[in-house]
Amino acid sequence: LNCIDMDGQCNGFDHSLMKAVSDAVSIPVIASSGAGNEQHFTDVFTATNVQAALAAGMFHRKEVEIDAVKKHMMSNGIPSRT
């Protein structure tokens, strides 16, 4: 689920949109657009019912490493793929 208003902003995912949609549908929802740091992933999983979250720009620009996101999530009890 892409929130174009958050795309490229690096201020976090749109929690209200992600929660509204993930609560309303029975298919998996993947949060997209807005991630700028490790905490944004932890936040979207704790504040909504999304099944996955993605980011691109912050990784391509090497602002955040994928392993840092996974470690942050793990330290907050949120599983991720290895």
Side-chain angles (χ1 to χ4, degrees):
L1 176 60
N2 181 298
C3 178
I4 197 65
D5 293 337
M6 300 300 281
D7 195 35
Q9 301 299 311
C10 299
N11 294 323
F13 298 97
D14 184 336
H15 293 173
S16 57
L17 175 64
M18 299 302 155
K19 180 153 181 50
V21 173
S22 64
D23 287 350
V25 300
S26 61
I27 60 172
V29 174
I30 302 169
S32 177
S33 296
N37 63 48
E38 298 92 334
Q39 185 67 44
H40 291 156
F41 286 86
T42 301
D43 291 346
V44 77
F45 285 115
T46 56
T48 74
N49 292 316
V50 299
Q51 286 75 30
L54 66 88
M58 66 182 214
F59 298 130
H60 293 302
R61 292 185 299 269
K62 300 186 189 271
E63 297 166 347
V64 178
E65 294 293 325
I66 294 170
D67 283 343
V69 172
K70 290 182 177 189
K71 287 177 185 173
H72 188 271
M73 289 173 49
M74 184 183 300
S75 72
N76 285 278
I78 300 168
S80 70
R81 285 199 217 177
T82 54

